[in-house]
Every structure is written in structure tokens, then in C-alpha cells.
Amino acid sequence: LYYVGAKAFESGMMEGQIAAAAFLQDPSVDRNQDGVYQYVVLEGEPGHQDAIVRTEYSVKTLTDQGIRVQKLTEVSGNWEESRGKELTEQALKRYGRRVEVIICNNDAMANGASEAIQEAGRVVGKDICLVGVDGLRSTVTAVRDGNVTGTVLNDYHGQAKKAAEVLMKLVDGEHVETEYLIDHVKISGNGQ
């Protein structure tokens, strides 16, 4: 049995790095100026290992950088764009301007959150931070356009290429390792 993939915690760490950079580079992101980053988590499938690890490491990375945080809510969007939008609408309605960052376990939910943020009259990069994972083309475009703070590319091309290389080595009778890890890549509008 051979594994080609990525470290689940790495994507969460990178989400946290993008959100931390936004907070540290522009103090106005702290809308209520209390020195605490109030956040909402849109988690993927309940109990899914990647969802749990991404959430844990994104928040841990913020606190490791000395940023005080307060969780407003953590809800499952089940990886779905429509749920991301719906849950963001609910969070913005319930918590209003206290929502300073939304951490999404995937880009589909981040895309939905972006739509809800815009409809609520909030502005990513000015009064709210929004991060996701996957590096979907639509999300990368949203990062470029300023509607998402950043995403983390899960390099599926690199993983597919490495899996094909491993398969060919196995076919040729060559020695292969049991695990190959492909790094994630940060994509953000602040030059990271």
C-alpha cells in the first residue's frame, strides 16, 4: 500500500498564516479594536479528519503568532457552497460587525461566504478576512479580485504526477517509498 497526498495540518496552518498576516498588516481588520480576532469556522463534513485538523491548525497558527482569538461559532457547511453562503448570512446576521474572520475548510464554502459577505455590504480586506482551502480557479480569481483574502492550493496536479511516477516505478520493479507528501501552496492577495 502506498500513499501520495498532503499533510492535512499544513493547509490549516497556511490558512492561519494568511489570516494572521491580514490581522497584523492592517489593524483596522480588528473592527471593534479590542485586540481580539473574532472568528467563525465553516467546517466541512462533521467528524471528517481533514475538517477537524484544518480547523485546529488554522486557529493554533493564529494563537502561535500571538493573536488573541474568540470563536463566535463553528458550524458544518458540509463542503457545500450553498451552505457556506447560508451559514455566513446567519453568522453575519447574528454577530454583525463582530465577525472579523471566516475560516472555511474548503473553497466551495468560501465562495458561498464571499457572496454572502458582499450581499451584506461587508468588504473583504477592509472589514473582514475570508480564507479557504483547495485553490479552486473560482476562488483564486476571487482572491485576485479582492473578494477572498486567500486560499491554500491542495496540489492535485503534483499529487497525480507523483502517483503516476510511483506506479511506473512499481511496474518497472523499482523500489518505492510507502509515502510521498506534496506540499500545499498559499495563494493570497497580500503577496504571500
Side-chain angles (χ1 to χ4, degrees), residues 86-99:
E86 177 185 339
L87 294 170
T88 299
E89 289 169 343
Q90 291 171 5
L92 292 174
K93 188 176 217 177
R94 180 172 182 189
Y95 300 105
R97 297 258 174 210
R98 290 179 56 208
V99 179

Side-chain angles (χ1 to χ4, degrees), residues 75-164:
V75 289
S76 172
N78 209 31
W79 312 116
E80 298 171 13
E81 185 170 339
S82 61
R83 289 288 292 152
K85 181 179 181 186
E86 177 185 339
L87 294 170
T88 299
E89 289 169 343
Q90 291 171 5
L92 292 174
K93 188 176 217 177
R94 180 172 182 189
Y95 300 105
R97 297 258 174 210
R98 290 179 56 208
V99 179
E100 296 169 334
V101 63
I102 299 177
I103 300 167
C104 300
N105 284 167
N106 79 337
D107 279 352
M109 293 185 299
N111 291 342
S114 176
E115 189 177 338
I117 288 167
Q118 291 173 61
E119 288 176 4
R122 301 282 300 268
V123 180
V124 170
K126 294 196 187 279
D127 67 357
I128 195 165
C129 173
L130 173 62
V131 293
V133 174
D134 285 331
L136 295 179
R137 285 187 184 138
S138 56
T139 312
V140 171
T141 298
V143 170
R144 185 192 66 222
D145 294 344
N147 295 318
V148 173
T149 308
T151 183
V152 180
L153 173 66
N154 185 3
D155 186 5
Y156 54 89
H157 288 292
Q159 292 172 15
K161 181 179 177 186
K162 181 56 77 177

Side-chain angles (χ1 to χ4, degrees), residues 11-28:
S11 59
M13 285 176 52
M14 289 182 173
E15 275 188 299
Q17 290 166 356
I18 294 167
F23 186 82
L24 297 171
Q25 290 174 2
D26 184 1
S28 69

